[in-house]
Amino acid sequence: MRYAVIGTGAIGGFYGAKLQRSGVEVHFLLHKDYTHVQRHGLKIYSKDGDFCLPAVHAHASPATIPVCDVVLIALKTTQNNLLKDLLPPWVADQGILLTLQNGLGIEPQLAQLVESDRVILGGLCFICSHRGDPGTIHHQDYGSLTIGAYGDGYQPQGVTPLLETMARHWRQAGVETFLAPDLGYARWKKLLWNVPFNGLSVVLSATTTEMMATPPTRALARDLMEEVQRAAASQGVAIPTADLEQMLHSTATMAPYVTSMKRDYDRNLPLELEAILGYPLAVARGKGVALPRMTMLHQLLQHLDRQNRRHGSGTPAAPG
Amino acid sequence: MRYAVIGTGAIGGFYGAKLQRSGVEVHFLLHKDYTHVQRHGLKIYSKDGDFCLPAVHAHASPATIPVCDVVLIALKTTQNNLLKDLLPPWVADQGILLTLQNGLGIEPQLAQLVESDRVILGGLCFICSHRGDPGTIHHQDYGSLTIGAYGDGYQPQGVTPLLETMARHWRQAGVETFLAPDLGYARWKKLLWNVPFNGLSVVLSATTTEMMATPPTRALARDLMEEVQRAAASQGVAIPTADLEQMLHSTATMAPYVTSMKRDYDRNLPLELEAILGYPLAVARGKGVALPRMTMLHQLLQHLDRQNRRHGSGTPAAPG
């Protein structure tokens, strides 16, 4: 099977490099790091052991990518407007799109961009990683992947043979892989973390450890989680309260972490507000559920995002 | 009548200086500006015309202040723990304490500190002013004073002859003065502005104009005002919705303003969170009213306040 990676950053670069190291043919679409990676390949500094890929299939444009069986989508969701020009026609008939993106509403968005015979899978990356110098990625912690698919009407589909096949590939690549019989539950559970900690890390300019160290902030993180839980319930997804407790506990005990949203903010990049807050709020509102804290967090972040991009230069809104 | 000013800052310095200029004997308690003001007096840069008081009664300690008829309390509420050492015994029998402080719960706090024959009045300063170099105060905009008193059980007292007398003094001093027949209403109405704009100015690092320019922030300011309105209602104080509209309109059209809480934050000083948020939240909670946005704002500000004072030096927690 031939893979492509759209968006060779902290996520796409890391997971794509793991695949290539295990012998899979991987094509990487790059933007500003293209020349560097074309010459020098990729370098992964990982808590599981550093490794180099001195030669990779680097592409500056989708036009040079051969037809691929699996396409990993690892752009920031704020760049998804670019996908209509990046995806067709080189995704194989009955090919697989595996999005590694955060948030909610991604799969419906992809479904509008490709032929109906393409298979859309959702991948959730539980990883702390970030980009370094051109062509380098730093993998600090975790690194698992959870894959699932929606059934008709975005209902739970269970674990299919295709998901089992995908899991084998990833496990061969040394990636701890889980299969989600209910992708909606998996996505909402991930929001349970992303909403409070990505959001508050920007508003408070704080690491996870700093947030968990202050009692009012810890209480607020929990309050926000309860709203995510209510939003999920409005979509028929039940998140047990034990999930909240476990997540608060693991966040309190993990190494200090600068969230991906905070890193984007510090680089004056657009924040993934729609996927993390806007879309979840909209679907809950559609069911008549009011979520004052999540709404307030969204409002605060919209303000900060605007001011931040006005003040900073940002890097161009393009992949890689 | 002899006046004293406890806390000769942007508020106490300004209003005290106006009184002295009109011929009233005023004694100023100072801390770090004492030596400068003792030598050079006070200088007020005002939109209504600059003026100097080359000689003032400056005091470094309450021990040297003669018995006064009216004591203006203009410390930050975060310094109110100092009042027990600053006030008695030089407030005249049946003397008046006029607090010019922001927020709720101030008058009950003062009542615990002085003999029951002292009269406690609440003063609300509608003013944009801030301290400059030692002994100088910058008065940018507005400058009125609203005075009222609580009746028994902190119920509305109406306008008394004493309030009329006070108003005459202030008007003679060139201060536009209003009398509040219902001090509770006046205090809650002031919170209607202070909660959203003081609070959000710190969280968003924004001026009033920047906050009003961003639609999500404008919506959030209004949402917060509605919660203040509900909190007030829980205490039997009705704030008409027209008050919200008028306040949003005047904030949108006034000159860009850095709130007093933001100025405190920028100087690494403690924020007046208890008087502006903690106490109002507690009394509403006592009536079973949940205020998620105000609670969240309080939580965010508690985090920022702690981090800010840890990082910065701050100026000593003492008057003047």
Side-chain angles (χ1 to χ4, degrees), chain A residues 202-203 205 260-273 300-315, chain B residues 204-206 210 214:
Chain A
V202 172
V203 174
S205 199
S260 59
M261 193 177 277
K262 179 66 165 76
R263 284 187 195 276
D264 287 342
Y265 185 78
D266 289 344
R267 292 160 68 207
N268 301 107
L269 291 171
L271 306 182
E272 295 192 284
L273 299 185
L300 293 173
L301 290 167
Q302 284 174 295
H303 182 103
L304 292 170
D305 185 37
R306 264 174 227 214
Q307 292 293 113
N308 187 47
R309 285 194 276 156
R310 191 171 299 161
H311 295 152
S313 56
T315 56
Chain B
L204 299 173
S205 198
E210 287 164 342
T214 314

Side-chain angles (χ1 to χ4, degrees), chain B residues 144-207:
Chain B
S144 73
L145 176 64
T146 298
I147 312 174
Y150 285 111
D152 289 342
Y154 296 96
Q155 293 301 303
Q157 194 187 43
V159 170
T160 59
L162 174 65
L163 289 179
E164 299 279 15
T165 305
M166 294 299 293
R168 256 197 316 280
H169 289 193
W170 286 107
R171 287 175 188 142
Q172 277 163 14
V175 173
E176 188 183 22
T177 305
F178 304 98
L179 293 178
D182 182 347
L183 179 57
Y185 167 72
R187 286 221 168 270
W188 278 105
K189 187 171 172 185
K190 187 144 202 226
L191 283 177
L192 203 62
W193 196 92
N194 281 332
V195 166
F197 292 107
N198 273 290
L200 295 176
S201 71
V202 172
V203 174
L204 299 173
S205 198
T207 64

